[in-house]
Amino acid sequence: MDNIYGDGVSHELLGNAASIKQLLESLAQSERELKNQVTLFSAFLDALPNPIFVKDNNAVFIACNAAYEKAFGIAREEFVGKTVMDLDYLPELSRHTFQKADLELLRERGETREEIELAFGDGCVRTVLYQRKTFELGDGQGGMLGLIVDISQRKRAEKLESFRSSILEMLAGGEELRPILMAIVQGVETLCPDMMCSILLADDEGQYLGNRVATSLPESYTRALGRVAIGHNSRPCGIAACTGQRVIVENIASHPNWAGACSVAIGAGLVSCWSQPIKAGSGDILGTFAIYHRRSAIPIDTEIELIEHTARLASIAIEKTRAEHTIRELAYYDALTALPNRRMLNEHLLETLAAGQNTGEYGALMLLDLDNFKPLNDQYGHMVGDQLLVEVARRLSRSVRHTDLVARLGGDEFVVVLDSLGGCAEAAELVTLEIAEAVRKSVVEPFRLVVDSDQGELEWVSHTCSASIGVTLFSGVQECKSEVLRQADQAMYQAKKSGRNSICLFESVE
């Protein structure tokens, strides 16, 4: 058939077909490029470790990354095309809060950056840095990009460092041990609100744990448990102190070592217990740090780190207190008899004189020197002489009132300071002489001492000793410390001149 349209029309149709084909190919290429860009964009988002979401100008989710899905336990297909109001896994109040904030930001355009508490898909509430920024695509198109950065570990580290610093400041400030341990317990409970903590201290013999420090444990529980024996068959704290290892009891009700106290713990609502030994630098056990929960629980890595760190802080506090106590003992107490030494005597006497000036009450000072001490040293040696001095110290302490001070000056000289003897000189003198006589009688009783025999065996020997006692009264009005000591010393030498084993009052010295 002949071409009825002519050659010109035929060529035009063929040209249009080629243009359409070229256009279709161009559109297909553009679609492929767009898909590649979308794929590339999605891959880029999924490669980022932090949760990211994208919303349009109506606050409708249009995209998110894999980290967002993982963090909140929800597939993107379940919420893309929806607003936050459609996410039932969030509390209603949270949904309204987020939706209102999103719409305000999209209306005003800009960006926000804030720290908030956010519930994740695993049920944990974490502190996050929540950032949002709007964007524009032209032709009225655009939306908002959101980024969520989990900063829980950083905030936890900051809180832990703040907690640690506050305890170290208390230590540096010379705070007493118990308030420091109380602050440690309260600090851990603040960092971990589901924990209830206590610290138990080991006694000097290493047999028991006691002197409990606890703030949130029920009083009925702490009172019922009392002290805890240190041993393999004890409760977890006792086992931890015995073995030096952490003890984890996930469920108190099923643990054999809780059999005797299980009802007490359950009655207090306690379900699990972790016990961490508190060790000195030498490895000696100072006590235990216990953590309780009202649910079955075993510690995770971060909790173990906190427990160990807390035990070290407690160890520092306990060792520092013990060191200070030792220093004070060395500075103020006689190493042999454990009586106050000359330094403490001087301070106490000054305080007693000052109190007498304010109250008008009398005090008294006795200076005591042993009469038959040198022959014992000469015959048996200083080791036996030291035994006698220790026993004299015990007898003197038992012979005076509990408010009186017994001190050792050195050698075989002792001092007794009496205070609060009243405002009447005669009555004060009578009480003083009665106590002095009790002291004299206590010393004159025979002493049984252990000595090495010539055969190298230990045997008992009896030694009779006595004391010359000088006594002076003071009211603190005119006397000074050195004058009071001088008066007692003068009276003591008068007692020795009078035949020893006697008491001489300073006022009677001629």
Side-chain angles (χ1 to χ4, degrees):
M1 178 182 290
D2 295 334
N3 184 356
I4 61 174
Y5 298 105
D7 291 339
V9 175
S10 175
H11 286 298
E12 182 179 353
L13 288 174
L14 290 174
N16 288 339
S19 297
I20 292 172
K21 180 180 179 182
Q22 185 176 4
L23 176 62
L24 291 175
E25 289 177 351
S26 178
L27 289 174
Q29 179 65 25
S30 297
E31 183 178 358
R32 287 194 297 271
E33 290 177 357
L34 180 60
K35 288 182 177 180
N36 287 337
Q37 290 177 358
V38 171
T39 301
L40 181 62
F41 176 70
S42 298
F44 172 73
L45 288 183
D46 285 341
L48 296 176
N50 297 309
I52 295 174
F53 63 86
V54 183
K55 296 184 179 182
D56 65 15
N57 279 333
N58 294 315
V60 174
F61 284 101
I62 58 176
C64 76
N65 66 348
Y68 190 94
E69 292 181 297
K70 181 179 179 181
F72 299 102
I74 182 171
R76 64 191 74 184
E77 292 81 6
E78 296 180 31
F79 65 90
V80 168
K82 301 178 181 178
T83 71
V84 71
M85 297 299 297
D86 300 315
L87 305 181
D88 294 336
Y89 71 90
L90 285 176
E92 184 176 359
L93 179 60
S94 297
R95 282 182 275 164
H96 281 282
T97 301
F98 282 121
Q99 181 71 355
K100 180 180 178 182
D102 286 347
L103 291 175
E104 287 180 356
L105 179 62
L106 288 166
R107 181 174 62 254
E108 297 173 359
R109 317 307 289 181
E111 60 183 299
T112 63
R113 178 188 177 96
E114 58 184 331
E115 291 182 7
I116 64 172
E117 300 294 317
L118 195 60
F120 278 57
D122 58 6
C124 294
V125 177
R126 295 179 172 87
T127 304
V128 301
L129 182 61
Y130 187 57
Q131 302 176 83
R132 297 172 302 159
K133 185 173 183 179
T134 59
F135 60 87
E136 306 294 340
L137 297 176
D139 297 327
Q141 300 297 310
M144 175 180 67
L145 179 70
L147 171 65
I148 298 171
V149 181
D150 185 353
I151 58 172
S152 298
Q153 292 298 324
R154 191 193 80 196
K155 300 298 289 186
R156 181 184 180 85
E158 290 175 355
K159 291 178 181 178
L160 182 59
E161 181 58 27
S162 175
F163 162 57
R164 175 180 174 275
S165 296
S166 67
I167 299 302
L168 293 179
E169 286 176 8
M170 293 179 73
L171 285 166
E175 185 63 79
E176 296 291 331
L177 177 61
R178 191 166 186 85
I180 293 176
L181 297 182
M182 192 75 74
I184 289 175
V185 166
Q186 291 173 334
V188 174
E189 291 176 345
T190 299
L191 290 171
C192 304
D194 62 335
M195 291 183 178
M196 293 169 286
C197 307
S198 73
I199 292 176
L200 289 170
L201 300 180
D203 61 14
D204 293 338
E205 293 74 30
Q207 299 296 314
Y208 292 94
L209 297 169
N211 197 16
R212 188 188 305 269
V213 176
T215 59
S216 61
L217 285 174
E219 185 178 349
S220 59
Y221 171 77
T222 59
R223 186 172 58 249
L225 252 60
R227 64 179 187 173
V228 177
I230 297 176
H232 290 281
N233 297 319
S234 182
R235 289 192 291 277
C237 282
I239 299 173
C242 177
T243 62
Q245 301 296 320
R246 185 184 311 114
V247 177
I248 304 299
V249 176
E250 184 177 357
N251 194 318
I252 291 174
S254 60
H255 196 276
N257 290 77
W258 273 95
C262 181
S263 59
V264 177
I266 293 175
L270 306 177
V271 178
S272 64
C273 174
W274 313 336
S275 300
Q276 176 74 24
I278 300 172
K279 298 181 182 180
S282 62
D284 295 337
I285 298 299
L286 303 174
T288 57
F289 175 56
I291 303 95
Y292 297 86
H293 290 82
R294 296 191 183 280
R295 56 180 174 81
S296 179
I298 57 175
I300 59 177
D301 291 344
T302 55
E303 289 171 330
I304 290 176
E305 181 183 0
L306 174 62
I307 293 168
E308 292 177 341
H309 187 80
T310 301
R312 286 195 294 272
L313 280 178
S315 172
I316 293 170
I318 297 168
E319 287 202 279
K320 178 177 181 291
T321 301
R322 288 190 174 185
E324 290 172 347
H325 179 74
T326 299
I327 292 171
R328 178 174 174 80
E329 290 287 320
L330 293 173
Y332 288 97
Y333 290 88
D334 176 56
L336 176 64
T337 63
L339 290 178
N341 61 14
R342 185 185 295 270
R343 177 179 292 180
M344 180 176 281
L345 168 66
N346 289 337
E347 292 186 6
H348 181 81
L349 186 54
L350 286 172
E351 291 174 0
T352 305
L353 287 167
Q357 288 179 345
N358 294 327
T359 64
E361 289 192 298
Y362 281 90
L365 185 141
M366 303 179 200
L367 181 58
L368 178 151
D369 184 84
L370 300 182
D371 295 326
N372 191 27
F373 181 68
K374 188 175 184 299
L376 177 70
N377 268 347
D378 293 342
Q379 182 176 359
Y380 296 110
H382 290 286
M383 295 291 289
V384 178
D386 287 349
Q387 288 184 53
L388 177 68
L389 294 174
V390 171
E391 183 56 32
V392 168
R394 291 196 189 102
R395 294 186 185 187
L396 294 181
S397 299
R398 291 196 297 263
S399 301
V400 301
R401 304 170 303 175
H402 72 278
T403 57
D404 300 328
L405 178 81
V406 179
R408 183 188 178 205
L409 281 184
D412 59 344
E413 285 190 328
F414 296 84
V415 172
V416 178
V417 180
L418 311 178
D419 59 8
S420 303
L421 295 175
C424 175
E426 291 77 9
E429 179 180 317
L430 180 61
V431 172
T432 299
L433 292 177
E434 287 178 352
I435 296 175
E437 178 61 15
V439 167
R440 187 195 65 79
K441 288 181 177 180
S442 73
V443 175
V444 81
E445 291 290 328
F447 293 87
R448 282 175 54 81
L449 308 170
V450 178
V451 300
D452 286 324
S453 67
D454 295 336
Q455 291 76 31
E457 297 179 355
L458 298 179
E459 62 181 31
W460 290 96
V461 298
S462 179
H463 179 76
T464 301
C465 190
S466 62
S468 296
I469 304 173
V471 179
T472 184
L473 292 176
F474 58 84
S475 63
V477 176
Q478 297 177 342
E479 299 91 340
C480 65
K481 174 177 66 69
S482 58
E483 176 62 17
V484 170
L485 289 168
R486 186 196 66 78
Q487 292 174 2
D489 186 66
Q490 187 174 342
M492 185 269 291
Y493 275 105
Q494 184 64 31
K496 280 191 176 293
K497 290 180 181 180
S498 301
R500 304 186 178 188
N501 190 25
S502 62
I503 302 166
C504 184
L505 189 64
F506 173 73
E507 285 81 356
S508 65
V509 176
E510 297 179 357

